Amino acid sequence: MALATATLPLRPSSFASNSNSKFSTSRIRISNNGSPPLTQTFPGKSEADVIVIGSGIGGLCCGALLARYNQDVLVLESHDLPGGAAHSFTIKDYKFDSGPSLFSGFQSRGPQANPLAQVLDALGESPPCATYDSWKLYIPEGEFLSRIGPTEFFKDLQTFGGPNAVQEWRKLLDAILPLSAAAMALPPLSIRGDLGVLSTAGARYAPSLFKSFLQMGPQGALGATKLVRPFVEILDSLQLRDPFVRNWVDLLSFLLAGVKSDGVLSAEMIYMFAEWYKPGSCLEYPIGGSGAIIDSLVRGLKKFNGHLSLRSHVDSIVVEDGRAIGVKLRGGQFVRARKAVVSNASMWDTLNLLPKEVLPQAYRERIKATPQCESFMHLHLGFDAEGISKDIGIHHIVVNEWERGVDADQNVVLISVPSALSPDLAPPGKHLLHAYTPGTEPFELWEGLDRKSDEYKQLKAERSEVMWKAVERALGPNFDRCKCEVKLVGTPLTHQRFLRRNRGTYGPAIKAGKASFPGHSTPISHLLCCGDSTFPGIGVPAVAASGAIVANSLVSVSQHSQLLDAVGL
């Protein structure tokens, strides 16, 4: 599980071709709006079996697995760094995370491992991690150090919950942990987007799934039908009414998927509970930052002869006779896809890459009508560690008001101090910090503003103040914002500009029970999608799973089964 958030690339992407590419230069003749053919130079491959647009975690998982399947893969990335919403960047010797920083399950193996761990295992990669078991909470009722594990949370419930809080929490764990066997019975790496899934997942894991239902008994097996329903229905069926318990579950749900318990799939929450509230649970942080995960995926891609081309901005997807045949880069260069094009962009941005006339109007309207999560405010800081507590801890969460809801703007601030676990990320004697409002910043406040205007600068100062106050609360009285060596504030316009995310959005605001995340196919033949606009949804495990599903779908059932055998699934 990972706390997934959007990224903050802090320097403009370059759309020039990649001068460091190892590929030979390809000269491709194209026609530009009916003008005579022009000769364009692209220092890369002129064609590949599969072209992947974007090197986010979903795109890299897809590309690397396809390379593992012996497919000729080319991943095209607009930015000068791979990783999308999970890349790291360096400013004045401080190596910052741009997005997710709360992880678990990297070291797990086997059918119940999380999707990213299964992909890394298939690639023979395993980033070294530091382990820990707690984070600091600052809530209206007070402050406490929250620890994961089966019993550690009870003391916090006794302090901040009502008289029935502990009893209700036990009731919740007793009800949902047995369901985790069903939720985790199918390894994410076994799933594919065609009828071959009946072999790679259905027949292969039917015995273990049947066994888990037998162990649950008739009542438990009936409860397993709730896995695809909103988690709030489980809470309501158990008659959980303690305000602190309900608020806590909403917070966990929001951190996991960007929606409260009335919008998250029960299967996602049950999977998280199984990882966090079982004996021996721990959280993990990759040594070297979240960029170490991206480095592992890129190594896996290249290990199996896949290719990554940075500074290679895709301007459009080329469609011929209803089939995606390649992409056109910003400079006019055409790169052909022999088998498929996979877009790791959001659904709205993928739509903008396609000619209007090639898509059914109903499909275009459905995408445009899909609700969006809001955007982010970010604060990246580098500062002296002197006077800061030695046991500062890596994670801090500030909730200002429960009544407004955890999804209200300016209400929840997440803070990560990764140098507490990975000191190499900052210069000696220094700390670095990333604070952000998680997908709750309204884009409307920023829309149309000139980034160079005084109005924009004033709004940045006003809207970042909630993060500064949260940081000062977490770091204590010896922290002085004026003495920070690095101060970087990001806004929704930063997201829109650097990530090329429509309206700087976190992703689709799709609530379980009311709608479902789209599948990976499109009305265009040989064009597939992966990432947070597709099933299973938002979050690091989800986007890793989506990339794996697309990769599996592009190879034969035999190849897919051989991979599962090779990694022991």
Side-chain angles (χ1 to χ4, degrees):
M1 206 285 293
L3 178 63
T5 168
T7 184
L8 182 62
L10 291 167
R11 57 183 182 276
S13 300
S14 169
F15 301 114
S17 54
N18 182 4
S19 60
N20 295 322
S21 173
K22 297 180 180 179
F23 308 143
S24 60
T25 297
S26 301
R27 300 181 69 82
I28 306 166
R29 295 179 63 81
I30 64 170
S31 178
N32 187 9
N33 296 327
S35 60
L38 301 174
T39 299
Q40 301 287 346
T41 301
F42 172 54
K45 293 167 64 66
S46 61
E47 63 179 7
D49 288 340
V50 181
I51 294 172
V52 179
I53 304 171
S55 67
I57 285 180
L60 285 176
C61 285
C62 179
L65 278 178
L66 283 169
R68 174 72 169 75
Y69 283 127
N70 202 32
Q71 301 296 298
D72 182 16
V73 182
L74 174 60
V75 179
L76 296 171
E77 170 58 48
S78 176
H79 199 14
D80 57 359
L81 292 170
H87 80 267
S88 294
F89 62 92
T90 301
I91 302 289
K92 294 183 178 180
D93 294 327
Y94 290 91
K95 188 176 183 181
F96 292 101
D97 291 337
S98 60
S101 57
L102 180 57
F103 301 97
S104 67
F106 277 132
Q107 309 305 314
S108 59
R109 293 294 181 268
Q112 295 186 349
N114 76 39
L116 182 55
Q118 290 187 357
V119 171
L120 290 169
D121 194 28
L123 300 174
E125 296 289 337
S126 181
C129 294
T131 60
Y132 62 107
D133 66 354
S134 63
W135 66 90
K136 189 72 175 286
L137 265 293
Y138 308 81
I139 57 176
E141 297 90 337
E143 304 175 4
F144 67 99
L145 188 69
S146 176
R147 296 186 183 277
I148 63 174
T151 60
E152 294 292 338
F153 191 50
F154 290 142
K155 61 180 178 60
D156 303 321
L157 290 167
Q158 291 170 346
T159 302
F160 299 107
N164 297 321
V166 171
Q167 178 184 352
E168 289 192 3
W169 188 255
R170 289 185 186 275
K171 190 176 183 181
L172 178 61
L173 294 182
D174 289 344
I176 66 175
L177 289 183
L179 294 177
S180 66
M184 304 167 79
L186 289 179
L189 201 59
S190 71
I191 302 173
R192 52 189 292 128
D194 58 21
L195 291 178
V197 72
L198 297 176
S199 173
T200 61
R204 192 181 188 98
Y205 300 102
S208 60
L209 187 61
F210 182 68
K211 181 179 179 181
S212 68
F213 282 130
L214 286 179
Q215 291 173 339
M216 288 188 291
Q219 185 173 357
L222 182 63
T225 60
K226 297 179 180 178
L227 291 174
V228 294
R229 299 293 302 166
F231 192 60
V232 71
E233 294 183 3
I234 292 180
L235 304 181
D236 292 341
S237 69
L238 296 173
Q239 298 183 327
L240 305 186
R241 298 188 175 91
D242 183 84
F244 185 80
V245 170
R246 298 294 293 238
N247 286 331
W248 183 255
V249 172
D250 270 347
L251 179 62
L252 293 180
S253 172
F254 189 68
L255 298 181
L256 173 66
V259 291
K260 295 191 294 186
S261 58
D262 62 349
V264 67
L265 276 175
S266 293
E268 291 185 71
M269 288 295 285
I270 290 170
Y271 193 101
M272 185 203 69
F273 268 81
E275 283 204 335
W276 283 21
Y277 294 107
K278 64 183 179 183
S281 298
C282 71
L283 299 169
E284 295 164 310
Y285 183 76
I287 300 300
S290 62
I293 300 168
I294 303 304
D295 291 343
S296 294
L297 290 170
V298 171
R299 280 197 306 271
L301 172 73
K302 294 181 177 180
K303 180 191 303 182
F304 294 100
N305 300 314
H307 304 290
L308 169 67
S309 184
L310 303 174
R311 305 183 183 93
S312 301
H313 179 75
V314 173
D315 197 50
S316 63
I317 298 169
V318 180
V319 179
E320 188 176 276
D321 297 328
R323 170 177 174 163
I325 63 168
V327 299
K328 181 180 177 182
L329 303 185
R330 169 153 294 189
Q333 306 91 339
F334 173 71
V335 186
R336 182 174 297 278
R338 290 185 289 265
K339 292 185 177 180
V341 174
V342 178
S343 177
N344 187 209
S346 76
M347 63 169 67
W348 304 279
D349 297 293
T350 300
L351 188 67
N352 291 333
L353 294 176
L354 289 161
K356 291 184 178 180
E357 64 273 11
V358 303
L359 285 170
Q361 184 64 23
Y363 181 81
R364 298 181 63 85
E365 291 176 355
R366 180 176 63 78
I367 289 179
K368 291 179 179 179
T370 300
Q372 295 181 341
C373 295
E374 298 289 3
S375 191
F376 290 76
M377 290 294 297
H378 286 269
L379 184 64
H380 285 89
L381 304 176
F383 53 93
D384 200 303
E386 185 176 357
I388 305 299
S389 173
K390 300 296 183 182
D391 58 351
I392 183 62
I394 181 173
H395 289 301
H396 306 256
I397 300 176
V398 178
V399 180
N400 293 314
E401 299 177 49
W402 289 123
E403 291 76 11
R404 293 188 62 214
V406 294
D407 54 352
D409 70 302
Q410 301 272 289
N411 194 32
V412 175
V413 178
L414 308 184
I415 301 170
S416 172
V417 190
S419 49
L421 291 179
S422 186
D424 59 305
L425 296 174
K430 309 290 183 179
H431 272 310
L432 79 168
L433 176 149
H434 176 206
Y436 53 97
T437 56
T440 58
E441 182 66 9
F443 184 80
E444 289 76 11
L445 295 176
W446 303 86
E447 192 168 13
L449 290 181
D450 182 348
R451 292 180 293 101
K452 298 180 181 179
S453 68
D454 290 338
E455 183 182 4
Y456 178 71
K457 294 174 183 177
Q458 181 179 347
L459 190 59
K460 280 179 72 173
E462 292 173 358
R463 301 295 288 184
S464 63
E465 186 61 24
V466 67
M467 297 184 293
W468 280 109
K469 289 181 177 178
V471 168
E472 289 167 343
R473 186 176 180 184
L475 298 186
N478 291 325
F479 171 76
D480 186 346
R481 68 169 76 176
C482 297
K483 294 182 179 180
C484 290
E485 297 176 6
V486 177
K487 301 178 188 177
L488 302 168
V489 177
T491 74
L493 295 187
T494 314
H495 276 267
Q496 184 184 46
R497 179 187 179 203
F498 290 106
L499 276 189
R500 307 196 178 281
R501 297 280 291 190
N502 185 272
R503 299 174 64 82
T505 182
Y506 184 22
I510 296 175
K511 289 189 173 183
K514 295 184 178 180
S516 58
F517 275 84
H520 307 93
S521 62
T522 71
I524 306 300
S525 174
H526 298 269
L527 173 62
L528 296 95
C529 296
C530 67
D532 59 16
S533 287
T534 64
F535 175 83
I538 292 175
V540 171
V543 298
S546 76
I549 292 170
V550 171
N552 296 337
S553 304
L554 287 171
V555 300
S556 69
V557 170
S558 175
Q559 286 175 288
H560 188 180
S561 297
Q562 288 172 11
L563 176 65
L564 296 174
D565 290 339
V567 296
L569 293 178

